[in-house]
PDB file of all heavy atoms in Angstrom:
ATOM      1  N   GLY H  93      96.248  94.840  98.629  1.00  0.00           N
ATOM      2  CA  GLY H  93      95.613  95.127 100.072  1.00  0.00           C
ATOM      3  C   GLY H  93      94.382  94.405 100.214  1.00  0.00           C
ATOM      4  O   GLY H  93      93.689  94.091  99.194  1.00  0.00           O
ATOM      5  N   MET H  94      94.044  94.065 101.426  1.00  0.00           N
ATOM      6  CA  MET H  94      92.779  93.409 101.644  1.00  0.00           C
ATOM      7  C   MET H  94      91.598  94.330 101.161  1.00  0.00           C
ATOM      8  O   MET H  94      91.677  95.557 101.304  1.00  0.00           O
ATOM      9  CB  MET H  94      92.647  93.058 103.095  1.00  0.00           C
ATOM     10  CG  MET H  94      93.738  92.037 103.629  1.00  0.00           C
ATOM     11  SD  MET H  94      93.843  90.554 102.673  1.00  0.00           S
ATOM     12  CE  MET H  94      92.564  89.651 103.609  1.00  0.00           C
ATOM     13  N   MET H  95      90.644  93.754 100.556  1.00  0.00           N
ATOM     14  CA  MET H  95      89.516  94.485 100.013  1.00  0.00           C
ATOM     15  C   MET H  95      88.956  95.579 100.883  1.00  0.00           C
ATOM     16  O   MET H  95      88.682  96.767 100.522  1.00  0.00           O
ATOM     17  CB  MET H  95      88.409  93.535  99.586  1.00  0.00           C
ATOM     18  CG  MET H  95      87.434  94.178  98.560  1.00  0.00           C
ATOM     19  SD  MET H  95      86.259  92.934  98.151  1.00  0.00           S
ATOM     20  CE  MET H  95      85.660  93.468  96.665  1.00  0.00           C
ATOM     21  N   HIS H  96      88.803  95.281 102.109  1.00  0.00           N
ATOM     22  CA  HIS H  96      88.048  96.252 103.075  1.00  0.00           C
ATOM     23  C   HIS H  96      88.928  97.435 103.347  1.00  0.00           C
ATOM     24  O   HIS H  96      88.506  98.482 103.738  1.00  0.00           O
ATOM     25  CB  HIS H  96      87.737  95.583 104.389  1.00  0.00           C
ATOM     26  CG  HIS H  96      88.830  95.033 105.283  1.00  0.00           C
ATOM     27  ND1 HIS H  96      89.458  93.884 104.972  1.00  0.00           N
ATOM     28  CD2 HIS H  96      89.521  95.555 106.268  1.00  0.00           C
ATOM     29  CE1 HIS H  96      90.424  93.626 105.864  1.00  0.00           C
ATOM     30  NE2 HIS H  96      90.495  94.695 106.602  1.00  0.00           N
ATOM     31  N   ARG H  97      90.318  97.379 103.041  1.00  0.00           N
ATOM     32  CA  ARG H  97      91.165  98.522 103.095  1.00  0.00           C
ATOM     33  C   ARG H  97      91.569  99.057 101.760  1.00  0.00           C
ATOM     34  O   ARG H  97      92.337 100.089 101.672  1.00  0.00           O
ATOM     35  CB  ARG H  97      92.437  98.078 103.844  1.00  0.00           C
ATOM     36  CG  ARG H  97      92.210  97.973 105.340  1.00  0.00           C
ATOM     37  CD  ARG H  97      93.608  97.946 106.049  1.00  0.00           C
ATOM     38  NE  ARG H  97      94.402  96.817 105.777  1.00  0.00           N
ATOM     39  CZ  ARG H  97      94.505  95.692 106.509  1.00  0.00           C
ATOM     40  NH1 ARG H  97      93.870  95.728 107.711  1.00  0.00           N
ATOM     41  NH2 ARG H  97      95.221  94.665 106.142  1.00  0.00           N
ATOM     42  N   MET H  98      91.126  98.405 100.676  1.00  0.00           N
ATOM     43  CA  MET H  98      91.619  98.897  99.401  1.00  0.00           C
ATOM     44  C   MET H  98      90.750 100.177  98.939  1.00  0.00           C
ATOM     45  O   MET H  98      89.573 100.075  98.972  1.00  0.00           O
ATOM     46  CB  MET H  98      91.521  97.768  98.316  1.00  0.00           C
ATOM     47  CG  MET H  98      92.088  98.161  97.022  1.00  0.00           C
ATOM     48  SD  MET H  98      91.905  96.784  95.809  1.00  0.00           S
ATOM     49  CE  MET H  98      93.164  95.643  96.405  1.00  0.00           C
ATOM     50  N   SER H  99      91.528 101.150  98.397  1.00  0.00           N
ATOM     51  CA  SER H  99      90.699 102.342  97.818  1.00  0.00           C
ATOM     52  C   SER H  99      90.225 102.086  96.426  1.00  0.00           C
ATOM     53  O   SER H  99      90.890 101.225  95.746  1.00  0.00           O
ATOM     54  CB  SER H  99      91.586 103.533  97.834  1.00  0.00           C
ATOM     55  OG  SER H  99      92.632 103.357  96.905  1.00  0.00           O
ATOM     56  N   VAL H 100      89.186 102.673  96.051  1.00  0.00           N
ATOM     57  CA  VAL H 100      88.753 102.563  94.610  1.00  0.00           C
ATOM     58  C   VAL H 100      89.793 103.063  93.698  1.00  0.00           C
ATOM     59  O   VAL H 100      89.954 102.499  92.578  1.00  0.00           O
ATOM     60  CB  VAL H 100      87.361 103.234  94.433  1.00  0.00           C
ATOM     61  CG1 VAL H 100      87.499 104.817  94.301  1.00  0.00           C
ATOM     62  CG2 VAL H 100      86.602 102.629  93.315  1.00  0.00           C
ATOM     63  N   GLU H 101      90.652 104.051  94.134  1.00  0.00           N
ATOM     64  CA  GLU H 101      91.767 104.420  93.220  1.00  0.00           C
ATOM     65  C   GLU H 101      92.726 103.222  93.022  1.00  0.00           C
ATOM     66  O   GLU H 101      93.185 103.057  91.732  1.00  0.00           O
ATOM     67  CB  GLU H 101      92.548 105.661  93.829  1.00  0.00           C
ATOM     68  CG  GLU H 101      91.789 106.968  93.803  1.00  0.00           C
ATOM     69  CD  GLU H 101      90.663 107.007  94.944  1.00  0.00           C
ATOM     70  OE1 GLU H 101      90.685 106.288  95.928  1.00  0.00           O
ATOM     71  OE2 GLU H 101      89.808 107.780  94.749  1.00  0.00           O
ATOM     72  N   ASP H 102      93.010 102.574  93.983  1.00  0.00           N
ATOM     73  CA  ASP H 102      94.022 101.418  93.833  1.00  0.00           C
ATOM     74  C   ASP H 102      93.384 100.259  93.028  1.00  0.00           C
ATOM     75  O   ASP H 102      94.053  99.633  92.328  1.00  0.00           O
ATOM     76  CB  ASP H 102      94.432 100.822  95.100  1.00  0.00           C
ATOM     77  CG  ASP H 102      95.557 101.768  95.755  1.00  0.00           C
ATOM     78  OD1 ASP H 102      96.134 102.589  95.021  1.00  0.00           O
ATOM     79  OD2 ASP H 102      95.884 101.551  96.972  1.00  0.00           O
ATOM     80  N   PHE H 103      92.003 100.161  93.097  1.00  0.00           N
ATOM     81  CA  PHE H 103      91.362  99.173  92.199  1.00  0.00           C
ATOM     82  C   PHE H 103      91.447  99.573  90.723  1.00  0.00           C
ATOM     83  O   PHE H 103      91.929  98.900  89.898  1.00  0.00           O
ATOM     84  CB  PHE H 103      89.940  98.944  92.603  1.00  0.00           C
ATOM     85  CG  PHE H 103      89.128  97.962  91.773  1.00  0.00           C
ATOM     86  CD1 PHE H 103      89.199  96.699  91.885  1.00  0.00           C
ATOM     87  CD2 PHE H 103      88.431  98.519  90.667  1.00  0.00           C
ATOM     88  CE1 PHE H 103      88.607  95.807  91.039  1.00  0.00           C
ATOM     89  CE2 PHE H 103      87.768  97.635  89.776  1.00  0.00           C
ATOM     90  CZ  PHE H 103      87.832  96.264  89.959  1.00  0.00           C
ATOM     91  N   ARG H 104      91.156 100.868  90.470  1.00  0.00           N
ATOM     92  CA  ARG H 104      91.028 101.376  89.200  1.00  0.00           C
ATOM     93  C   ARG H 104      92.465 101.412  88.527  1.00  0.00           C
ATOM     94  O   ARG H 104      92.570 101.085  87.372  1.00  0.00           O
ATOM     95  CB  ARG H 104      90.486 102.835  89.175  1.00  0.00           C
ATOM     96  CG  ARG H 104      89.023 102.888  89.250  1.00  0.00           C
ATOM     97  CD  ARG H 104      88.462 104.071  88.347  1.00  0.00           C
ATOM     98  NE  ARG H 104      87.005 104.129  88.821  1.00  0.00           N
ATOM     99  CZ  ARG H 104      86.436 104.987  89.675  1.00  0.00           C
ATOM    100  NH1 ARG H 104      87.191 105.893  90.233  1.00  0.00           N
ATOM    101  NH2 ARG H 104      85.181 104.909  89.907  1.00  0.00           N
ATOM    102  N   PHE H 105      93.462 101.857  89.314  1.00  0.00           N
ATOM    103  CA  PHE H 105      94.755 101.997  88.875  1.00  0.00           C
ATOM    104  C   PHE H 105      95.333 100.684  88.226  1.00  0.00           C
ATOM    105  O   PHE H 105      95.810 100.604  87.086  1.00  0.00           O
ATOM    106  CB  PHE H 105      95.739 102.423  89.970  1.00  0.00           C
ATOM    107  CG  PHE H 105      97.065 102.766  89.524  1.00  0.00           C
ATOM    108  CD1 PHE H 105      97.299 103.518  88.359  1.00  0.00           C
ATOM    109  CD2 PHE H 105      98.173 102.442  90.329  1.00  0.00           C
ATOM    110  CE1 PHE H 105      98.663 103.788  87.961  1.00  0.00           C
ATOM    111  CE2 PHE H 105      99.471 102.766  89.993  1.00  0.00           C
ATOM    112  CZ  PHE H 105      99.669 103.387  88.799  1.00  0.00           C
ATOM    113  N   VAL H 106      95.140  99.585  88.986  1.00  0.00           N
ATOM    114  CA  VAL H 106      95.512  98.242  88.600  1.00  0.00           C
ATOM    115  C   VAL H 106      94.771  97.758  87.368  1.00  0.00           C
ATOM    116  O   VAL H 106      95.366  97.212  86.428  1.00  0.00           O
ATOM    117  CB  VAL H 106      95.462  97.247  89.804  1.00  0.00           C
ATOM    118  CG1 VAL H 106      95.717  95.881  89.379  1.00  0.00           C
ATOM    119  CG2 VAL H 106      96.502  97.627  90.749  1.00  0.00           C
TER     120      VAL H 106
END
Side-chain angles (χ1 to χ4, degrees):
M94 300 301 274
M95 196 182 202
H96 62 280
R97 283 198 293 259
M98 188 181 287
S99 66
V100 79
E101 287 75 21
D102 279 349
F103 177 80
R104 279 211 190 105
F105 186 42
V106 168

